[in-house]
Amino acid sequence: MQSLTLICHSPSLPVKENMAKTALFFFSFSLIISSIFSRTLPPSSATNVLDVTSSLQKTLDVFTVDSQATKSLENQETSFSSSSSLLSLKLHSRVGLRKASDIDYKALTLARLGRDSARVNSLQTRLDLAVHGISKADLKPMETQLDVEAMEGPVISGTSQGSGEYFSRVGIGRPPSQVYMVLDSGSDVNWVQCAPCSDCYQQADPIFQPASSSSFSRLTCEAQQCKSLDVSECRNNTCLYQVSYGDGSYTVGDFVTETITFGDSAAVNNIAIGCGHNNEGLFVGAAGLIGLGGGPLSFPSQIKAKSFSYCLVDRDSDASSTLDFDSVVPADAVTAPLLQNPKLDTFYYMDLTGISVAGELLPVPPSNFKLADNGEGGVIIDSGTAVTRLPTETYNALRDAFVKGTKNLPSTNGVALFDTCFALGSRKSVEVPTVSFHFSNGKDLSLPAKNYLIPVDSTGTFCFAFAPTSSSLSIIGNVQQQGTRVSFDIAHSLIAFSSNKC
């Protein structure tokens, strides 16, 4: 809270002058108190317009994606040494690769939300393990660990299409084998399915053949990369890895170094990556995963990137964007401090201090968003979580403020984890209160209406795309990030948001 300084006047001053100064003091004091406990945005920022017709059309288009989309995407691989980035990969949503196979958009939504809940539970599990001091020595041996919830968040690249994941196409090995990889800011360990397969799931590309790569090299048990793993084992002086996921999925194999290739010419040598011979779970489609987390084994850490950025296109669209490394943060970006959890370096925390609806700050204490010294609480931003989660008290205040500003809209029953929904099938567009994030450096980020009021079917049901959690951890999901370039300025401990920079 801002400090207040009281000035005392000598009693020798004339009474009228004292009275005037006293009145002025209390008037100024009231203004200061008002500015501390409430903040109002400019009137022009109080509401947003949602294009209902356009949003509903996308729920139909998702089932009619051009069957040639995958072939064209394979020819749009990656680029190197652009004017703004040293390394740049094409970024695609799942629907850009394969047409959704669900019977309708509501079924697609329910499948996404089910997997999203598993994702959130897994992130929380990993944080709980880190915060409560469970070490590698406490974990069970690899042979008995496969069915145990462990250290990583799940790869939600499920058997149902359109799960909201984002992919890039990279080359593994030398000569490079081109494959699609899931991009995940909530994971560190990179891995790819490898032959020979003890148990491999179906993927869009051929399984990687280590024997065909001249740059394939197994890591020894004494290698620092092996020691950095959460779960590892030593056999014949070679390092074995395991990454387990909260939904029971896992990948197990050799921990190796390989060459990762971007486009026709850009290559990065000696990247530590899991060569998975035994992989099971909801991984169908992608060949593996590129970890974008903050830990030492993540891809940005291994290439010593000072920054990286991505723009998540609408997950119901076949459009593409880019994942850029060492790119310059746009000058007009909204920045916020990037924080690190001393208990877990994977997640990216941002210093959020408040949320407003229609220009009015929610009546919740800033401590609801604070990362505690013991590693609990705080607000992370995650590319793999779809719907933003907020502690129940904060969510209830946000929902109630939004409902207050939408009394003119017809409400309807909730859907899955969404408890605030509207029947907008008869409307072409609607005006809704603006939802904004407020950061410790005084910067504000206002969200487009389509990033928090989303269709859940094709008949006009729209729901408020936030959800409560009993945890103290808040997660900003990819629905709220869509259409915005999110930059992680690691060198300067900043996160930046740039609208329409995809």
Side-chain angles (χ1 to χ4, degrees):
M1 181 177 292
Q2 302 175 24
S3 61
L4 300 178
T5 302
L6 305 184
I7 302 176
C8 296
H9 297 281
S10 167
S12 61
L13 289 173
V15 175
K16 288 186 178 180
E17 183 179 353
N18 259 342
M19 293 178 62
K21 289 182 179 291
T22 300
L24 178 62
F25 164 76
F26 281 110
F27 177 72
S28 301
F29 183 83
S30 66
L31 288 180
I32 293 172
I33 294 297
S34 176
S35 68
I36 293 173
F37 291 102
S38 67
R39 182 170 17 158
T40 302
L41 299 178
S44 60
S45 302
T47 61
N48 270 335
V49 175
L50 174 70
D51 188 335
V52 174
T53 302
S54 175
S55 295
L56 289 179
Q57 185 60 47
K58 290 179 181 178
T59 69
L60 301 173
D61 293 343
V62 71
F63 296 100
T64 57
V65 172
D66 186 352
S67 62
Q68 298 301 310
T70 300
K71 292 182 179 179
S72 65
L73 290 175
E74 290 175 356
N75 296 324
Q76 300 175 3
E77 295 168 0
T78 52
S79 58
F80 178 63
S81 295
S82 68
S83 59
S84 61
S85 176
L86 295 177
L87 291 176
S88 182
L89 297 82
K90 285 287 185 181
L91 186 61
H92 313 287
S93 67
R94 174 174 290 275
V95 74
L97 303 183
R98 298 176 66 179
K99 183 174 67 174
S101 59
D102 301 82
I103 59 173
D104 57 29
Y105 195 80
K106 185 170 184 178
L108 173 61
T109 297
L110 293 176
R112 285 172 168 171
L113 294 178
R115 289 189 296 270
D116 199 47
S117 294
R119 165 77 179 193
V120 169
N121 290 338
S122 296
L123 293 178
Q124 184 62 54
T125 296
R126 181 172 188 191
L127 180 61
D128 288 343
L129 290 173
V131 167
H132 297 297
I134 297 179
S135 66
K136 296 180 184 179
D138 298 319
L139 297 172
K140 296 182 180 180
M142 190 171 291
E143 291 83 359
T144 59
Q145 182 72 12
L146 296 182
D147 60 349
V148 178
E149 287 192 356
M151 302 298 291
E152 299 276 353
V155 180
I156 315 297
S157 46
T159 54
S160 173
Q161 305 308 311
S163 61
E165 298 165 338
Y166 294 87
F167 296 74
S168 278
R169 194 160 179 80
V170 301
I172 309 292
R174 193 180 296 274
S177 298
Q178 297 293 330
V179 293
Y180 285 109
M181 302 282 275
V182 173
L183 300 169
D184 186 3
S185 66
S187 296
D188 291 325
V189 178
N190 312 292
W191 60 269
V192 65
Q193 290 200 113
C194 285
C197 280
S198 171
D199 184 10
C200 288
Y201 59 84
Q202 182 183 2
Q203 66 179 56
D205 298 291
I207 300 292
F208 175 64
Q209 301 284 338
S212 301
S213 172
S214 62
S215 56
F216 179 88
S217 178
R218 289 181 173 85
L219 285 165
T220 68
C221 303
E222 297 304 312
Q224 184 58 47
Q225 297 98 316
C226 186
K227 294 179 179 179
S228 296
L229 288 165
D230 289 322
V231 182
S232 64
E233 189 169 301
C234 187
R235 292 183 185 173
N236 301 322
N237 199 34
T238 61
C239 182
L240 301 183
Y241 81 100
Q242 174 183 298
V243 178
S244 299
Y245 299 88
D247 63 354
S249 305
Y250 59 84
T251 173
V252 179
D254 298 301
F255 206 47
V256 307
T257 59
E258 255 298 6
T259 298
I260 308 296
T261 301
F262 302 85
D264 296 329
S265 59
V268 184
N269 299 318
N270 300 316
I271 295 296
I273 185 170
C275 183
H277 303 293
N278 189 351
N279 319 285
E280 190 168 309
L282 301 179
F283 300 123
V284 175
L289 180 144
I290 295 292
L292 299 176
L297 293 176
S298 74
F299 188 77
S301 295
Q302 290 197 57
I303 66 172
K304 296 179 171 57
K306 294 181 180 179
S307 68
F308 71 92
S309 70
Y310 59 68
C311 189
L312 305 180
V313 296
D314 188 325
R315 63 180 179 173
D316 291 334
S317 166
D318 60 359
S320 66
S321 181
T322 59
L323 167 68
D324 299 336
F325 294 94
D326 286 326
S327 57
V328 177
V329 175
D332 60 349
V334 174
T335 60
L338 194 61
L339 307 177
Q340 189 172 42
N341 190 333
K343 300 291 186 179
L344 182 63
D345 52 13
T346 300
F347 299 158
Y348 294 102
Y349 288 79
M350 58 185 193
D351 202 4
L352 185 74
T353 57
I355 301 175
S356 66
V357 176
E360 295 291 335
L361 278 175
L362 301 181
V364 296
S367 58
N368 282 25
F369 308 102
K370 185 177 177 58
L371 173 61
D373 293 338
N374 66 358
E376 295 184 340
V379 182
I380 68 171
I381 185 165
D382 181 44
S383 66
T385 300
V387 178
T388 290
R389 301 306 204 279
L390 297 170
T392 301
E393 179 189 11
T394 303
Y395 170 76
N396 287 345
L398 174 64
R399 177 202 57 204
D400 293 347
F402 188 79
V403 169
K404 180 181 178 182
T406 52
K407 290 181 178 178
N408 61 318
L409 299 181
S411 61
T412 188
N413 295 332
V415 176
L417 55 82
F418 297 138
D419 62 10
T420 302
C421 300
F422 305 90
L424 305 180
S426 62
R427 310 290 185 93
K428 292 183 178 180
S429 64
V430 293
E431 191 173 15
V432 296
T434 298
V435 175
S436 301
F437 295 144
H438 302 273
F439 304 110
S440 62
N441 59 357
K443 302 292 182 65
D444 307 320
L445 176 67
S446 296
L447 303 177
K450 64 181 180 180
N451 284 25
Y452 55 87
L453 193 57
I454 63 172
V456 296
D457 57 31
S458 298
T459 61
T461 304
F462 283 72
C463 295
F464 190 50
F466 290 84
T469 174
S470 58
S471 167
S472 61
L473 177 69
S474 297
I475 306 173
I476 305 301
N478 60 43
V479 170
Q480 281 67 42
Q481 299 174 55
Q482 285 178 171
T484 299
R485 180 159 293 278
V486 182
S487 302
F488 299 81
D489 188 345
I490 302 168
H492 298 98
S493 297
L494 289 174
I495 187 168
F497 302 92
S498 311
S499 299
N500 303 315
K501 293 289 193 304
C502 292

